[in-house]
Amino acid sequence: MTQTATKTNDLMVEMHGVNKWYGDFHVLRDIYLDVKRGERIVICGPSGSGKSTMIRCINHLEEHQQGEIVVGGVPLTQDVKRIEQIRRSVGMVFQHFNLFPHLTVLENCCIAPMWVQKKPRKEAEEQAMRYLERVRIAEQARKYPGQLSGGQQQRVAIARSLCMHPDVMLFDEPTSALDPEMIKEVLDVMVELAKEGMTMLCVTHEMGFAKTVADRVIFMDQGQIIEENAPEPFFNNPQSERTKLFLSQILGH
Amino acid sequence: MIHNQTVIEQRPAPSSAIGPLAWLRTNLFSDPINTIFTLIGLYVLYLLVVPTVQWAFINADWVGTTREDCSREGACWVFVNARFTQFIYGLYPRAEIWRANIVFAGFFTLIAWLAIPRLPFKRWVAVFALVGFPVVAYVLLHGGYFDLPRVPTHRWGGLMLTLLLATVGMVGALPIGIVLALGRRSNMPIVKSFCVVFIEFWRGVPLITVLFMASVMLPLFMPSGISVDRLVRALIGLTLFQSAYMAEVIRGGLQAIPKGQEEAAAALGMTYWKRMGLIVLPQALKMMIPGIVNTFISLFKDTTLVMIIGLFDLLGIVQAALADSRWLGFSLEGYVFAAFMFWIFCFSMSRYSQYLERKLNTGHKR
């Protein structure tokens, strides 16, 4: 794994032997993962397998206790300034959207560019409108999040992240809190984003999405990466017994 | 099976379900027991309201200067009339009252300006209210500058003193409370323990003790020659005391904000103070408006306790006036007047908080 240091420029995210415990519980066990620029990765696995925890370590929403994480060439340390620098280049979309309910859709998209990147309001608003148009929700810009449906809120959340021009996007089960008829509108936006070359790490159980866009599918169980492969062999010819069992459970019905 | 192929048009509700008569029927006279309670309630109301109105208005004396003008059996508002200046300004010298009036006028103008949404320049008015106005008010009330004669603080009193104590207490307690609440939730052990100890200390002692300590004990610990004004000591005591309560109210609000809000702000690269100032606190404060105003109202009423350290607030000055031998026996009028004044201010605060809640209610759900 030492050779990775020489080709840092190609790698957006590097995880070397990452371990994490919640008290005595060993949630992440020897995670090794390299993500190239422009690569789309789908992470799946049973609940409690550590998938969310793993991607939340990348922008330090969770702290890892052992191992090394490098994001865009910058090693993640305890240094607050360093963490904030990394977070500015890593977008994140949450299961429960986490839009700011006291701000309008437009303000949700402007607040970080204005206060973190010090953009003038006008410029931030123009940019926000461009991204809101891209996720096809510009006409709702003056509404509050509470007035939108779940699918609309999640698209706003994606636009809010994009407004910071991230190098990597992390998706933490972006469709699991949505009603079935709204999943597609969110996935469509994500597929477009993937086509434009965004580096993506996506925790999801949407296997259709994985088949269409993923370069690699990763299967996790009990805090470990059990198997990783291109989608075609991953789904058609899984190697490990646990992967086979998991796939039969989620695809079986 | 097809139920009905035509779209059913919306129809108006039957007249028996809406309008004042329907309201009366459903709420007051829906069944025999309800009707009996309504009638008993109306009778009790009659028993209470009629004598009160007769005492306070119909049989009351309004004009005059001495107790001889109080001839009728109702309330004698002559007493309040005669002492009105004192109730408002305390023992402030009569010749200098114009200074207090300017401060009063400025105070109410600023409050109205900040409270009425249509008026412009809110930010600058707020800055002036917090920075410029206190200096102006101090110079005017205290004097000693620009050839204004000095009026020492022990001559301040009445409603003026009550409003001063309450305003300084509120303006001071809110930011200190916010900082304490954030500190109590901090990950830094020293900050956290300091805030916990501070809050629990001030919440654990009665305000009377605090005021006694401030007026009696504090001078003993001060180096000789340095004396802090009694009013200032009372203000500091009151502010710190209320800030501890404020901190707990705000902490309740902070706990009610889902963790995802701070995470989303953090994921966008915001620093701690931006996460708090832009995302968490605006939501927490909005949610806690009822609790914050509740603390404000109790602070407003707690100002009466400064009486025990020899400051004459509105209630104190009314009581002092009651002890005047020329006006013995008019305590009811005095207390009713004091209660009415307190009620006006507290009720206004309560109404304004309800208005704010409605106005700021944007997030129906997260």
Side-chain angles (χ1 to χ4, degrees), chain A residues 56 87 98-99 101-102 115, chain B residues 260-261 263 266 274 278 366:
Chain A
R56 285 162 61 89
R87 282 172 177 170
N98 296 359
L99 292 178
H102 61 306
W115 288 88
Chain B
Q261 290 291 309
E263 283 180 356
K274 282 176 188 150
L278 296 170
R366 289 167 212 287

Side-chain angles (χ1 to χ4, degrees), chain B residues 161-294:
Chain B
L161 184 69
T162 297
L163 288 179
L164 177 93
L165 287 165
T167 313
V168 174
M170 289 173 199
V171 172
L174 187 60
I176 299 175
I178 290 174
V179 170
L180 286 172
L182 291 176
R184 191 164 187 171
R185 285 163 54 88
S186 162
N187 293 325
M188 290 177 274
I190 295 186
V191 173
K192 184 176 176 160
S193 9
F194 172 81
C195 292
V196 171
V197 170
F198 185 95
I199 292 170
E200 296 306 336
F201 171 78
W202 289 100
R203 285 211 307 165
V205 288
L207 183 54
I208 294 200
T209 321
V210 173
L211 292 173
F212 263 131
M213 292 273 280
S215 86
V216 181
M217 300 287 283
L218 206 61
L220 297 179
F221 297 116
M222 295 295 244
S224 60
I226 296 179
S227 73
V228 179
D229 189 272
R230 188 163 42 168
L231 177 60
V232 174
R233 280 181 267 148
L235 278 173
I236 293 172
L238 193 67
T239 306
L240 294 181
F241 182 83
Q242 294 294 348
S243 65
Y245 280 88
M246 194 57 83
E248 287 300 284
V249 170
I250 291 167
R251 190 167 70 98
L254 292 174
Q255 269 166 349
I257 305 300
K259 204 158 160 269
Q261 290 291 309
E262 207 196 328
E263 283 180 356
L268 289 166
M270 291 189 192
T271 60
Y272 172 81
W273 290 107
K274 282 176 188 150
R275 299 201 292 268
M276 292 301 135
L278 296 170
I279 306 301
V280 177
L281 275 173
Q283 294 183 55
L285 293 180
K286 188 174 88 182
M287 191 180 292
M288 294 323 284
I289 285 173
I292 291 170
V293 174
N294 193 33

Side-chain angles (χ1 to χ4, degrees), chain B residues 332-344:
Chain B
L332 190 54
E333 283 85 348
Y335 286 127
V336 166
F337 172 76
F340 181 69
M341 295 299 280
F342 275 101
W343 183 80
I344 294 261

Side-chain angles (χ1 to χ4, degrees), chain A residues 126-196:
Chain A
E126 282 166 7
Q127 171 193 272
M129 288 310 291
R130 278 202 304 279
Y131 281 111
L132 287 171
E133 256 156 49
R134 254 177 69 178
V135 302
R136 293 180 288 278
I137 202 153
E139 71 282 0
Q140 317 275 16
R142 304 282 163 188
K143 286 193 181 168
Y144 286 94
Q147 297 165 290
L148 304 184
S149 74
Q152 291 173 320
Q153 290 195 45
Q154 194 61 298
R155 285 186 282 146
V156 173
I158 294 172
R160 176 177 71 177
S161 275
L162 292 176
C163 283
M164 292 293 285
H165 305 292
D167 297 323
V168 190
M169 285 285 284
L170 309 175
F171 291 86
D172 188 1
E173 306 208 27
T175 56
S176 351
L178 295 175
D179 290 335
E181 74 269 25
M182 293 169 186
I183 290 176
K184 187 172 175 300
E185 63 186 60
V186 172
L187 287 181
D188 285 349
V189 168
M190 290 168 64
V191 170
E192 269 170 49
L193 204 57
K195 282 185 186 149
E196 286 160 24

Side-chain angles (χ1 to χ4, degrees), chain A residues 16-70:
Chain A
H16 301 294
V18 171
N19 279 280
K20 175 175 175 60
W21 291 262
Y22 285 129
D24 284 337
F25 180 56
H26 198 170
V27 258
L28 292 180
R29 306 179 189 180
D30 294 337
I31 300 288
Y32 286 91
L33 177 67
D34 285 345
V35 184
K36 290 202 215 54
R37 184 181 290 277
E39 216 179 355
R40 278 90 51 161
I41 290 180
V42 163
I43 302 148
C44 59
S47 71
S49 59
K51 354 180 251 303
S52 289
T53 311
M54 183 177 85
I55 68 164
R56 285 162 61 89
C57 281
I58 295 170
N59 63 354
H60 202 266
L61 288 183
E62 303 280 352
E63 201 176 315
H64 63 285
Q65 280 105 24
Q66 260 178 23
E68 192 188 349
I69 298 178
V70 183

